[in-house]
Amino acid sequence: MKLLFNSWRQLVCGCFIFVAVFFLVAFGYIREKNIRDSRQFNTHAKIITNDLWALSKSGARSYLQLAVQANHYKVLSVSLEGGAPFIQATSPPLTGLDRLFQSLHLLPLKTLSTDIFYQGRLIGTLRGEQYVRIFYPLSYIFIVLLLF
């Protein structure tokens, strides 16, 4: 059986390069994901502004429930300017691999918050907890790097 590496030095060097490339790619992915998540969260606040201004719970509730499902939020809540709760949308309990990863602490929560403005006036705050589903893409990156 022929060895891929001629010496232990080459093996260690190869492992070091693999780990370095993995962390560089992972860091870049995580950084971009955080930027996208912040922009997306601010967009949610802008979309529900008119419903909040009109104190329309039905429109805001429908939108927040869709956002919870589509963007892996555990909870999204809106409070009025004085801090009074207005509306909250929650996700159903986790199932399958997500539940397993959460029990292994591989699916942490990220807290997000942004103010909601209507015509330049602060009218409320959108707060949320989002599941950080970084384990899936990082495992794909790891597998792809192993194949090279």
Side-chain angles (χ1 to χ4, degrees), residues 4-143:
L4 181 63
F5 298 100
N6 293 329
S7 70
W8 285 102
R9 185 177 298 161
Q10 286 179 337
L11 177 63
V12 170
C13 187
C15 289
F16 178 76
I17 291 171
F18 173 81
V19 169
V21 169
F22 174 76
F23 280 110
L24 284 173
V25 171
F27 178 75
Y29 177 82
I30 292 168
R31 184 170 177 264
E32 288 300 316
K33 175 128 177 57
N34 284 335
I35 291 169
R36 280 192 318 260
D37 288 346
S38 294
R39 287 182 185 153
Q40 186 176 53
F41 198 74
N42 289 330
T43 300
H44 294 321
K46 289 176 186 173
I47 289 172
I48 64 168
T49 297
N50 290 332
D51 289 325
L52 183 59
W53 178 252
L55 296 177
S56 169
K57 286 188 177 183
S58 63
R61 178 179 289 119
S62 297
Y63 178 78
L64 291 179
Q65 198 59 46
L66 287 172
V68 162
Q69 293 171 353
N71 304 126
H72 309 291
Y73 290 105
K74 180 179 181 181
V75 64
L76 281 176
S77 64
V78 177
S79 58
L80 300 176
E81 181 183 2
F86 179 65
I87 195 165
Q88 181 172 317
T90 58
S91 69
L94 296 175
T95 59
L97 282 177
D98 286 339
R99 186 175 179 182
L100 173 66
F101 290 154
Q102 184 186 30
S103 68
L104 296 172
H105 304 287
L106 295 174
L107 192 64
L109 286 171
K110 172 174 48 176
T111 303
L112 300 163
S113 178
T114 190
D115 292 331
I116 302 171
F117 293 92
Y118 182 78
Q119 296 180 350
R121 179 178 168 220
L122 176 67
I123 60 171
T125 305
L126 175 64
R127 290 184 176 84
E129 291 181 349
Q130 185 178 32
Y131 292 108
V132 181
R133 297 169 51 101
I134 197 73
F135 184 76
Y136 296 106
L138 289 182
S139 62
Y140 298 146
I141 292 168
F142 185 78
I143 290 169

